[in-house]
Amino acid sequence: MTQAVLKSVQCISPAGLHSMAYKEWGDPQNPNVLVCVHGVTRVGDDFDRVARELCDVYRVICPDVVGRGRSGRLRDPQYYVIPQYVSDMVTLLARADAETVDWFGTSMGGLIGMGLASLPDNPIRRLLLNDIGPSLNASALARIGEYIGQDIRFATFDEAAQYIRTISATFGPHTDEEWHKLAADVLRQDAEGKWQRHYDLGLAVPFKSSTPEATAMAEHMLWAAYDAIRCPTLVVRGALSDLLLPEVAQAMTQRGPKANVVELPGVGHAPTFMHEDQIAVAKEFFLA
């Protein structure tokens, strides 16, 4: 069975250097590269199934965005923002020697992809946005910001896994085995043996310091970025999503790259692409 190779690259923020870990699948010399970037509290392991399905065609690169998983932590948490993540991805692509890439971004990973794809001379050839758009639903963002910053620890893995399953219910139906993987990928033990989530609680700082004015400005900038995108773009929306609203997805078909939209029934925020029917949507788009 195909195995991923774990690698890392050194990146820089205004607060200093940090490492970004990533998984690389497939032939390391393959110039056909797919970058898969996860949501705000997830990790690159989320794309294990997608990567196995596509690594015969692509070299698939799945980073842990800084502050999460195997990657380093920022000395100043105010830089846990999209421009920093875009900068880190440019460094990653230089390390990978990738001149052009296809991009699969879930939620935050989609915002990073939008930011990169909006720049002149950017390397993105095709862009899949998984349950994310340029409009920010304030109540959904508040919900995310609320649970990100909670320092919750559990005595047993099973308790921690049940918590992950509860807060991730909007991912839609999964088997017990799939839920176990979704939890195991984002849990680790602390020095006392308690189970906790794998990320820097400082991720919550930019959420908590945001104001309605700042959110409105960010949304204006995101739409401007979206309107600047020129590559073929697919928006995948969970039909029950509260983060990507139907009218926003509709607007995305009319503006910028005039994306196609595929809606997945019975799923909220965000589709996991662990199932054959969802993977088929990605394959059809990327391998067209």
Side-chain angles (χ1 to χ4, degrees):
M1 191 171 67
T2 306
Q3 293 297 329
V5 178
L6 277 176
K7 299 184 176 183
S8 72
V9 61
Q10 193 172 55
C11 304
I12 192 164
S13 82
L17 297 170
H18 57 273
S19 69
M20 183 166 65
Y22 61 98
K23 278 178 152 178
E24 188 174 72
W25 301 76
D27 177 1
Q29 304 306 315
N30 187 350
N32 199 23
V33 176
L34 175 65
V35 178
C36 300
V37 187
H38 57 79
V40 69
T41 62
R42 299 295 309 175
V43 282
D45 304 68
D46 280 3
F47 295 98
D48 287 354
R49 177 78 197 274
V50 167
R52 282 195 187 96
E53 293 270 347
L54 290 172
C55 66
D56 56 336
V57 178
Y58 285 105
R59 175 162 46 124
V60 186
I61 296 176
C62 308
D64 288 354
V65 177
V66 65
R68 292 106 172 143
R70 305 174 187 92
S71 289
R73 306 299 187 244
L74 294 179
R75 288 175 179 81
D76 185 343
Q78 73 171 321
Y79 295 115
Y80 285 127
V81 288
I82 301 300
Q84 178 61 52
Y85 303 151
V86 170
S87 169
D88 287 0
M89 295 303 159
V90 171
T91 302
L92 172 65
L93 297 183
R95 159 61 61 84
D97 200 19
E99 290 186 17
T100 61
V101 299
D102 291 347
W103 191 280
F104 187 148
T106 294
S107 195
M108 176 191 75
L111 294 179
I112 299 168
M114 274 173 39
L116 187 54
S118 72
L119 300 173
D121 303 321
N122 78 81
I124 297 182
R125 206 168 44 178
R126 298 178 82 79
L127 175 65
L128 190 157
L129 301 174
N130 182 17
D131 210 64
I132 195 70
S135 281
L136 304 172
N137 179 335
S139 60
L141 282 179
R143 171 173 60 79
I144 293 167
E146 181 61 34
Y147 82 79
I148 287 181
Q150 294 172 352
D151 187 4
I152 308 174
R153 296 169 197 244
F154 300 90
T156 68
F157 174 82
D158 287 346
E159 287 176 70
Q162 185 55 52
Y163 171 77
I164 297 296
R165 185 168 179 160
T166 301
I167 63 168
S168 309
T170 56
F171 289 177
H174 288 76
T175 65
D176 287 344
E177 187 182 353
E178 287 166 342
W179 279 120
H180 184 278
K181 180 184 181 339
L182 285 164
D185 287 345
V186 296
L187 291 169
R188 63 161 187 235
Q189 281 181 290
D190 66 14
E192 285 80 52
K194 295 275 182 69
W195 289 90
Q196 65 181 132
R197 291 171 292 173
H198 62 93
Y199 60 78
D200 182 354
L201 294 174
L203 296 186
V205 169
F207 281 93
K208 289 177 174 170
S209 60
S210 188
T211 63
E213 295 76 23
T215 302
M217 176 59 75
E219 185 167 317
H220 175 76
M221 290 167 68
L222 284 171
W223 274 114
Y226 183 77
D227 288 339
I229 294 170
R230 295 290 174 265
C231 65
T233 301
L234 176 68
V235 175
V236 178
R237 179 177 182 270
L240 308 177
S241 175
D242 68 341
L243 201 77
L244 177 58
L245 300 177
E247 57 270 25
V248 176
Q250 176 61 27
M252 293 170 79
T253 68
Q254 308 297 320
R255 297 177 57 167
K258 295 187 166 61
N260 289 327
V261 175
V262 173
E263 200 163 80
L264 301 175
V267 183
H269 184 77
T272 60
F273 282 82
M274 294 173 83
H275 302 142
E276 205 56 57
D277 60 327
Q278 295 181 8
I279 290 170
V281 170
K283 278 185 172 175
E284 187 179 340
F285 175 63
F286 287 124
L287 306 181

